[in-house]
Amino acid sequence: MKKFDMIVKNGVVVTASDTYRADIGIKDGKIVELSSDLNEDAVEVVDAKGKYVFPGGIDPHTHMDMPFGGTFSSDNFKTGTIAAACGGTTTIVDFAVQPKGKSLKETAKIWREKSDGKAVIDYGIHMNITDMTEDVMNEIPEMIKEGYSSVKLFMTYEGMRVDDGTLLRTLMKVNESGGLTCVHAENYYAIDYNTKKLLSEGKTEPIYHALSRPDLVEGEACGRAIKLARMVNAPLFVVHNTCEASISEIARARAEGYPIMGETCPQYLLLSEDNYREPDFNGAKYVMSPPLRDKKNWPVVWKALKDNTVQLVATDHCPFFMKQKELGKESFTKIPNGAPGVELRMSLIYTYGVVDGKFDLNRFVQVTSTNAAKVYGMYPQKGTIAVGSDADLVVFDPNIETTVTQSMLHENVDYTPYEGFKLKGYPVTTISKGNVVAKDGKFVGKEGAGKFIVRKAPMMI
Ligand code: DUC
Ligand code: ZN
Ligand code: ZN
């Protein structure tokens, strides 16, 4: 019997707080030893010489196989987690969208049928409540106890949004039950007014998606959600912040000591409103909500990521083939909202965050892994390299230089919004619970090896 199942040797280990040379001994899917030189017998040795070893990436905002606008996002839990693994991500947290009239138990069952036995890496599930009733409200404590420890609400989207009263009561209930409330913050009424006006003027192209939901639409809703959370002393997580208008609201609340947290996504750091003007309906590739913003927001969002106004980078991965996007050829309101991103997140943030000098390696680990584990109740099982933690690791080669093209990716979709982007640094080996799941851009794991994570209470960071 060998002492270790695997040793990851000769790498530079990077955590949220430290950077040091160490070998990592793995047994039964867990990290069991960290030492400057491990020479014992191991079934498998992964050589990480000249490379970094990061905690596996955690993307806490994905939409696999999600119904939207009469179609479904094109990655399912198998294809989407293969793409994640190839890009250095070892955990996702996906949103189970409550169908009208269904209980939360039924909603969880629907999502577990999509994910169990299919995902190749571990996954958590948020409860995305769209049809709040007294019965649904009363199910919240039980769902949180069962590991669905975060509840997300939409403040916009006809048929899925909640009103302020529901948001307030949910914030209270989720907090009392030891969970975390998340919001998609956009002002429904402003979007509705702007959309009707634009359509009445015959303005139907993709750019008008962005113009119908300008930055104040997001800033107002973000500020309102924060104030509601403050009124009931509840923590709040604001998903996909894009601009100064929302980030300034979070910054102010945090400066005053309130437990308000948030995320951003690579697209809001690297793409802009200009993309909607690409010819031949190409602008539809970027139709997502909230929309891409004026470039002047980029430095504000990068700074917020560096100074912990926002704690993490997720992707909102929600891909649709161009054929699906064409549902909106006649009107931007019919274009399914969402874009792919799960596979490139780690490399994009490394290249444009660390290599470009915006923050250091330890902050990179915080925003791509550790903080998501903390916020969403998975720490220290996930999000760090420590004895006792799951052996979820990514061996990352800082010297690989490449240019993004859709054909190198595993996402089940026919474009990437990052086509032509230069990358410096790419994952070479992804390890999930002690097993290599991706190597040199190829998936080598097993369908169904990923398991549901019973998440615990959030940590405020
Ligand atoms: N935004 C998107 O772009 N897609 C899915 C859901 C969302 O809020
Ligand atoms: Zn959203
Ligand atoms: Zn989303």
Side-chain angles (χ1 to χ4, degrees):
M1 183 80 153
K2 307 216 160 148
K3 181 169 178 197
F4 300 114
D5 297 331
M6 181 185 281
I7 296 177
V8 180
K9 252 196 115 41
N10 305 319
V12 173
V13 169
V14 187
T15 67
S17 54
D18 297 297
T19 305
Y20 59 102
R21 244 284 310 125
D23 295 345
I24 303 169
I26 296 166
K27 183 85 184 162
D28 297 330
K30 301 272 181 198
I31 295 169
V32 292
E33 200 164 332
L34 284 161
S35 158
S36 57
D37 196 13
L38 283 182
N39 282 309
E40 278 96 342
D41 257 5
V43 180
E44 190 176 357
V45 176
V46 172
D47 186 16
K49 194 168 171 46
K51 308 194 174 69
Y52 294 123
V53 185
F54 299 133
I58 301 177
D59 185 346
H61 189 151
T62 66
H63 298 284
M64 303 300 175
D65 205 4
M66 181 210 190
F68 194 102
T71 186
F72 284 81
S73 61
S74 57
D75 263 319
N76 57 33
F77 270 84
K78 181 179 173 194
T79 60
T81 55
I82 287 175
C86 291
T89 287
T90 53
T91 301
I92 61 165
V93 192
D94 201 80
F95 290 89
V97 185
Q98 179 197 14
K100 276 253 150 317
K102 297 272 187 212
S103 68
L104 297 186
K105 256 202 157 27
E106 289 167 318
T107 304
K109 185 161 176 282
I110 294 169
W111 239 256
R112 295 293 293 274
E113 278 164 9
K114 290 177 190 277
S115 55
D116 292 1
K118 300 195 182 64
V120 307
I121 53 169
D122 287 352
Y123 52 94
I125 296 178
H126 310 278
M127 278 289 126
N128 189 170
I129 300 178
T130 64
D131 187 14
M132 185 65 86
T133 60
E134 267 330 289
D135 286 348
V136 168
M137 190 65 88
N138 289 331
E139 279 189 278
I140 287 176
E142 185 63 21
M143 297 313 293
I144 288 174
K145 229 192 288 145
E146 288 181 14
Y148 303 86
S149 62
S150 38
V151 166
K152 186 237 197 134
L153 300 174
F154 285 117
M155 295 172 78
T156 190
Y157 288 132
E158 193 72 65
M160 296 204 285
R161 74 188 180 94
V162 298
D163 61 23
D164 289 353
T166 305
L167 174 51
L168 192 70
R169 289 190 304 124
T170 308
L171 280 159
M172 234 181 312
K173 188 75 170 184
V174 170
N175 186 34
E176 263 166 38
S177 313
L180 178 65
T181 300
C182 308
V183 284
H184 170 130
E186 287 185 293
N187 182 308
Y188 166 79
Y189 295 98
I191 297 169
D192 187 55
Y193 171 77
N194 291 335
T195 302
K196 286 180 177 146
K197 182 162 187 297
L198 289 165
L199 291 180
S200 76
E201 294 164 359
K203 294 173 172 163
T204 59
E205 291 85 7
I207 178 66
Y208 296 109
H209 171 76
L211 300 185
S212 70
R213 32 211 326 149
D215 57 356
L216 282 180
V217 160
E218 180 183 337
E220 185 281 329
C222 176
R224 179 160 36 101
I226 289 170
K227 284 172 191 109
L228 293 170
R230 286 176 47 180
M231 286 177 204
V232 293
N233 271 322
L236 173 71
F237 189 90
V238 185
V239 298
H240 47 43
N241 290 279
T242 71
C243 56
E244 199 272 337
S246 63
I247 279 170
S248 58
E249 296 286 349
I250 297 177
R252 187 149 49 102
R254 288 179 66 85
E256 290 171 18
Y258 295 101
I260 309 298
M261 301 178 289
E263 69 185 16
T264 189
C265 311
Q267 57 269 35
Y268 302 121
L269 296 160
L270 298 168
L271 303 171
S272 82
E273 201 171 272
D274 298 346
N275 291 95
Y276 293 113
R277 300 189 189 275
E278 290 178 13
D280 302 328
F281 200 59
N282 268 323
K285 291 177 177 173
Y286 314 94
V287 168
M288 61 185 78
S289 296
L292 303 176
R293 301 296 185 196
D294 189 302
K295 288 185 171 72
K296 67 174 193 254
N297 288 284
W298 289 349
V300 179
V301 186
W302 278 110
K303 179 175 175 292
L305 195 56
K306 181 184 161 84
D307 71 17
N308 209 44
T309 300
V310 298
Q311 290 70 41
L312 63 97
V313 181
T315 61
D316 204 4
H317 179 79
C318 188
F320 297 98
F321 281 89
M322 286 311 285
K323 256 258 89 58
Q324 296 174 285
K325 293 276 187 186
E326 279 170 16
L327 289 167
K329 263 241 119 114
E330 305 305 321
S331 166
F332 68 85
T333 59
K334 302 266 175 357
I335 302 173
N337 282 203
V342 76
E343 192 162 355
L344 288 172
R345 182 183 67 114
M346 297 291 280
S347 186
L348 285 169
I349 298 306
Y350 180 83
T351 303
Y352 295 96
V354 179
V355 178
D356 273 6
K358 298 199 182 69
F359 44 71
D360 66 13
L361 280 171
N362 307 103
R363 184 64 185 162
F364 170 77
V365 168
Q366 291 167 25
V367 302
T368 57
S369 180
T370 312
N371 288 354
K374 289 181 175 174
V375 167
Y376 287 118
M378 298 181 280
Y379 190 81
Q381 179 193 348
K382 306 287 190 190
T384 191
I385 297 176
V387 170
S389 295
D390 284 356
D392 287 0
L393 303 166
V394 54
V395 180
F396 192 93
D397 186 343
N399 294 314
I400 293 179
E401 295 192 36
T402 188
T403 302
V404 175
T405 181
Q406 188 265 327
S407 62
M408 73 192 240
L409 301 177
H410 300 76
E411 298 164 343
N412 183 41
V413 62
D414 51 359
Y415 75 94
T416 168
Y418 305 102
E419 190 73 36
F421 269 66
K422 301 260 183 272
L423 297 176
K424 183 155 169 38
Y426 210 80
V428 285
T429 307
T430 306
I431 297 166
S432 166
K433 295 175 294 183
N435 295 304
V436 175
V437 289
K439 190 161 172 47
D440 300 326
K442 282 205 182 56
F443 172 62
V444 295
K446 264 211 306 274
E447 181 174 359
K451 298 288 176 254
F452 174 72
I453 304 163
V454 178
R455 293 182 295 113
K456 304 193 171 61
M459 284 169 72
M460 301 306 140
I461 54 175

Coordinates of all heavy atoms in Angstrom, one line a residue, residues 61 152 154 184 239-240 289 316, ligand 2:
H61 N -21.1 31.2 -10.1 CA -22.2 31.8 -10.9 C -22.2 31.2 -12.3 O -21.6 31.8 -13.2 CB -22.1 33.3 -10.9 CG -23.3 34.0 -11.4 ND1 -23.7 35.3 -11.0 CD2 -24.3 33.6 -12.3 CE1 -24.8 35.6 -11.7 NE2 -25.2 34.6 -12.5
K152 N -31.1 33.1 -4.4 CA -31.0 34.2 -5.3 C -32.3 34.7 -5.8 O -33.2 33.9 -6.1 CB -30.1 33.8 -6.5 CG -29.8 34.9 -7.4 CD -30.2 34.7 -8.8 CE -29.5 35.5 -9.8 NZ -29.0 34.8 -11.0
F154 N -34.2 37.6 -8.5 CA -34.1 38.6 -9.6 C -35.0 39.8 -9.2 O -36.1 39.6 -8.9 CB -34.7 38.0 -10.9 CG -33.9 36.9 -11.6 CD1 -34.3 35.6 -11.7 CD2 -32.7 37.3 -12.1 CE1 -33.6 34.7 -12.4 CE2 -31.9 36.3 -12.8 CZ -32.4 35.0 -12.9
H184 N -29.8 39.7 -8.3 CA -29.6 40.2 -9.6 C -30.3 41.6 -9.6 O -31.5 41.7 -9.6 CB -30.1 39.3 -10.7 CG -30.1 40.0 -12.1 ND1 -29.6 39.3 -13.2 CD2 -30.5 41.2 -12.5 CE1 -29.7 40.1 -14.2 NE2 -30.3 41.2 -13.9
V239 N -24.8 40.0 -7.2 CA -24.1 39.3 -8.3 C -23.7 40.2 -9.4 O -24.3 41.3 -9.5 CB -24.9 38.0 -8.8 CG1 -25.1 37.0 -7.7 CG2 -26.2 38.4 -9.4
H240 N -22.8 39.8 -10.3 CA -22.4 40.5 -11.5 C -22.5 42.0 -11.5 O -23.2 42.6 -12.2 CB -23.1 39.9 -12.7 CG -24.6 39.7 -12.7 ND1 -25.4 40.6 -12.3 CD2 -25.3 38.7 -13.2 CE1 -26.7 40.2 -12.4 NE2 -26.6 39.0 -13.0
S289 N -27.4 40.2 -19.3 CA -27.9 41.2 -18.4 C -27.3 41.0 -17.0 O -27.2 39.8 -16.5 CB -29.4 41.1 -18.2 OG -30.0 41.4 -19.5
D316 N -21.0 34.0 -14.7 CA -22.4 34.1 -15.2 C -22.5 33.3 -16.5 O -23.2 33.6 -17.5 CB -22.9 35.5 -15.5 CG -24.4 35.7 -15.5 OD1 -25.1 34.7 -15.2 OD2 -24.9 36.8 -15.7
Ligands
ZN2 ZN -28.2 37.7 -13.3

